[in-house]
Amino acid sequence: MSKLVRGYEVVIGFETHTQLSTQSKIFSRAATAFGAEPNTQACALDLALPGTLPVMNQGAVQRAIEFGLAVGATIAELSVFARKNYFYPDLPKGYQISQYEIPVVQGGTVEFLLGDEKKTVRLVRAHLEEDAGKSLHEEFAGQTGIDLNRAGTPLLEIVTEPDMRSSDEAVAYAKELHKLVTWMGICDGNMQEGSFRCDANVSVRKPGAPLGTRREIKNLNSFKFMQQAIDYEVRWQIEQIEDGRTIEQATVLFDPDSGETRAMRTKEDAADYRYFPDPDLPPLVIDRIWVERVRAEMTELPRVMAQRFVSVYGLPEYDAATLTHNKETAAYFEQAAKLCGQPKLASNWVMGELSRRLNAGELGIAQAPVSAEQLAQLLSRIADGSISNSAGRQVFETLWTGQATDPDAIIEAQGLRQMNDGAELEKLVVQALAANPKSVQEFLAGKEKALNALVGQVMKTSKGTANPDQVQLLLKAKLQKF
Ligand code: ADP
Ligand code: MG
């Protein structure tokens, strides 16, 4: 059951603008790269000069198809571009080309884990559209400039049903969607640059009541702000209702400085936009053969890969889910696991030592100074008993700091080879028993823990190279004869 906030149920639906990773714009040849000098990437079409005509970018359509297939949606055989009419300085045509009545992607679901609970959010649609330009207020004292570099950048707007019931669930959905589109490479996912922008529609109601009136929080570009904005908005709406006021449908902005949402404008209805099919663009017709070709060439999706890690490598679900958090980590794990033939050991080290070091250095896995091959070689030595787990960490450390590159050479140079020789170990065990009569007495008096102290002694005199399991067995055997 969804948890209530002061007796109210929270209802959230998302509209997410994902910028598609094409080189050129959705209807022109101008580049989409971020950060260029204002208006250097705006061609005649982006400037809305008379006589220009839009031409569909096939790469944008292909990415929309990939997304649709990934979420199990229907890819429309025929969809229609429409003009959404409104006036704004960063929209020189006076309308945005979007899709309205017939979008390219219809239905589908996004599945994810919220804690241990499996959640499914239904998608209404995903449609192709062009981005608008940008107003630059800060550049000139008291003036505003218009930068049309972003005008015509391809967007896929992904719309959910109002299926989410808490800010936690909404953020988990957004993270899953972000993971999916970046994994597939159809969007670079850079939230600071605006490549992945979420609008959260939020309402509250008493359980069982019809849907309440929603307010739409625009342009949330970080997961942290998303959570804060929704939590604030929910508290605010409940207060209004408790104070006897009604919620008016509105578009609001979140101000990270005050932590509050503020009304920007009362919400327009679709009728205000006077949508109509764009006469400059024919309907978008997608051949089934194309869809099947895209399906065949699509990258393995994170959920499918996680299932494979469980069935092929026998990993626990938790490991599989963690390792498939991003594609590079999954590939790194799989390479190491294959090379050393020890998937669970490889999983432990990738999720443990490796991620610990990456996090500490704020590095991505691509920047890891230890390669999957090196890790695999090191793990093989642990698996065959040549070195202990803790000696393994020492080898890893040496690899990480770049002092040496070959795990076997490090093991020899640092004298880390595990002592497995029975006769040699026995000598050390006899020594330890003779030197620690107090621990021996305690053990014989029934204090099991005294054994650990004796094992510790042997490990110390062997400089950590003794095989601790063997030491323990030998000690027990000797002590039985006391
Ligand atoms: P519009 O196109 O005018 O923004 P839609 O009906 O397409 O309106 O809905 C936009 C988003 O708002 C969808 O994600 C939908 O799930 C969500 N939504 C609709 N009604 C509610 C509601 N009462 N509470 C929360 N979210 C809602
Ligand atoms: Mg909307």
Side-chain angles (χ1 to χ4, degrees):
M1 260 320 286
S2 61
K3 63 176 202 262
L4 302 181
V5 181
R6 293 173 60 189
Y8 288 84
E9 184 180 44
V10 176
V11 176
I12 304 167
F14 259 56
E15 294 161 282
T16 305
H17 292 90
T18 53
Q19 183 176 319
L20 298 174
S21 57
T22 54
Q23 299 285 312
S24 59
K25 292 184 178 174
I26 186 165
F27 301 120
S28 83
R29 288 192 189 172
T32 54
F34 181 85
E37 280 291 301
N39 300 310
T40 55
Q41 289 175 177
C43 67
L45 183 101
D46 306 324
L47 299 172
L49 298 188
T52 55
L53 285 171
V55 178
M56 186 72 231
N57 179 335
Q58 187 177 339
V61 181
Q62 157 131 3
R63 284 163 179 77
I65 296 172
E66 283 180 42
F67 176 77
L69 292 174
V71 295
T74 302
I75 311 297
E77 291 191 36
L78 182 150
S79 61
V80 174
F81 286 99
R83 290 185 180 180
K84 181 180 181 178
N85 299 280
Y86 66 95
F87 172 78
Y88 207 74
D90 65 18
L91 188 75
K93 290 198 301 302
Y95 60 87
Q96 177 195 25
I97 303 177
S98 181
Q99 295 191 304
Y100 182 56
E101 280 170 327
I102 313 178
V104 60
V105 172
Q106 302 170 5
T109 55
V110 173
E111 288 167 27
F112 55 94
L113 284 176
L114 180 60
D116 298 333
E117 217 180 325
K118 202 168 150 191
K119 294 283 186 187
T120 301
V121 168
R122 292 167 302 156
L123 299 182
V124 180
R125 59 192 275 157
H127 60 257
L128 285 163
E129 62 183 25
E130 59 177 349
D131 208 345
K134 232 188 238 174
S135 299
L136 301 176
H137 303 292
E138 65 273 27
E139 297 287 320
F140 317 93
Q143 296 186 38
T144 294
I146 302 293
D147 175 10
L148 291 171
N149 281 351
R150 204 180 62 181
T153 297
L155 302 177
L156 187 67
E157 179 174 340
I158 302 159
V159 184
T160 77
E161 296 284 356
D163 279 353
M164 291 161 277
R165 292 292 175 271
S166 67
S167 58
D168 289 342
E169 185 177 356
V171 172
Y173 159 78
K175 285 185 173 167
E176 183 66 26
L177 186 66
H178 185 266
K179 173 172 114 179
L180 187 64
V181 295
T182 52
W183 180 288
M184 295 197 300
I186 61 174
C187 169
D188 71 19
N190 190 323
M191 293 175 82
Q192 258 127 47
E193 292 177 3
S195 301
F196 186 90
R197 318 192 285 266
C198 293
D199 302 342
N201 294 268
V202 180
S203 67
V204 298
R205 65 173 170 187
K206 288 285 186 187
L211 285 178
T213 303
R214 73 192 148 106
R215 302 212 312 162
E216 178 175 3
I217 316 169
K218 275 285 188 200
N219 281 337
L220 294 164
N221 65 355
S222 95
F223 296 121
K224 193 174 128 206
F225 293 161
M226 200 176 285
Q227 181 112 35
Q228 289 175 354
I230 296 170
D231 287 341
Y232 177 85
E233 180 63 25
V234 166
R235 278 200 307 275
W236 184 87
Q237 288 189 15
I238 292 173
E239 251 162 52
Q240 297 299 305
I241 296 169
E242 291 284 301
D243 289 351
R245 285 187 283 272
T246 51
I247 305 293
E248 268 190 66
Q249 191 165 326
T251 302
V252 306
L253 280 181
F254 176 67
D255 175 6
D257 294 327
S258 65
E260 295 175 1
T261 53
R262 214 166 297 133
M264 192 163 78
R265 53 173 191 250
T266 54
K267 168 90 183 152
E268 302 84 354
D269 281 323
D272 298 330
Y273 290 120
R274 293 173 171 76
Y275 281 100
F276 65 89
D278 191 321
D280 288 344
L281 284 158
L284 176 60
V285 175
I286 297 176
D287 194 330
R288 293 302 94 180
I289 294 170
W290 187 15
V291 174
E292 288 320 308
R293 203 166 59 227
V294 172
R295 194 197 302 276
E297 286 166 10
M298 232 162 67
T299 186
E300 187 180 27
L301 297 173
R303 225 167 351 111
V304 178
M305 190 181 273
Q307 280 158 11
R308 185 166 61 77
F309 283 2
V310 172
S311 60
V312 174
Y313 298 120
L315 292 188
E317 301 257 356
Y318 173 82
D319 291 39
T322 308
L323 292 168
T324 52
H325 232 78
N326 69 64
K327 211 177 192 173
E328 292 74 25
T329 305
Y332 187 106
F333 155 76
E334 187 156 30
Q335 197 186 354
K338 274 186 182 159
L339 287 171
C340 72
Q342 301 284 332
K344 181 57 182 148
L345 189 61
S347 165
N348 290 348
W349 275 71
V350 171
M351 297 194 309
E353 200 65 11
L354 179 68
S355 9
R356 198 177 60 73
R357 292 302 307 249
L358 290 174
N359 290 343
E362 290 184 11
L363 299 173
I365 194 147
Q367 296 142 298
V370 179
S371 69
E373 289 92 340
Q374 288 172 313
L375 181 65
Q377 199 185 337
L378 150 62
L379 297 183
S380 301
R381 293 297 162 262
I382 295 177
D384 68 15
S386 306
I387 58 171
S388 67
N389 216 50
S390 69
R393 278 200 289 277
Q394 216 170 303
V395 176
F396 188 83
E397 181 65 27
T398 309
L399 290 170
W400 190 275
T401 52
Q403 291 159 275
T405 55
D406 178 44
D408 285 328
I410 296 170
I411 292 168
E412 292 317 317
Q414 301 186 2
L416 296 173
R417 189 164 286 283
Q418 190 156 254
M419 197 188 289
N420 290 311
D421 181 319
E424 242 177 288
L425 286 177
E426 190 163 344
K427 234 191 291 170
L428 294 179
V429 163
V430 171
Q431 257 178 36
L433 289 171
N436 298 281
K438 195 161 157 249
S439 297
V440 173
Q441 286 309 318
E442 283 173 1
F443 181 80
L444 294 176
K447 202 172 148 201
E448 291 276 332
K449 272 197 183 151
L451 188 66
N452 295 341
L454 291 164
V455 174
Q457 277 305 314
V458 178
M459 293 311 291
K460 204 167 144 194
T461 42
S462 72
K463 298 204 180 69
T465 61
N467 181 328
D469 296 336
Q470 284 194 41
V471 170
Q472 188 155 13
L473 288 175
L474 281 169
L475 277 169
K476 274 189 178 157
K478 293 270 173 217
L479 285 164
Q480 261 171 16
K481 295 189 193 137
F482 264 68

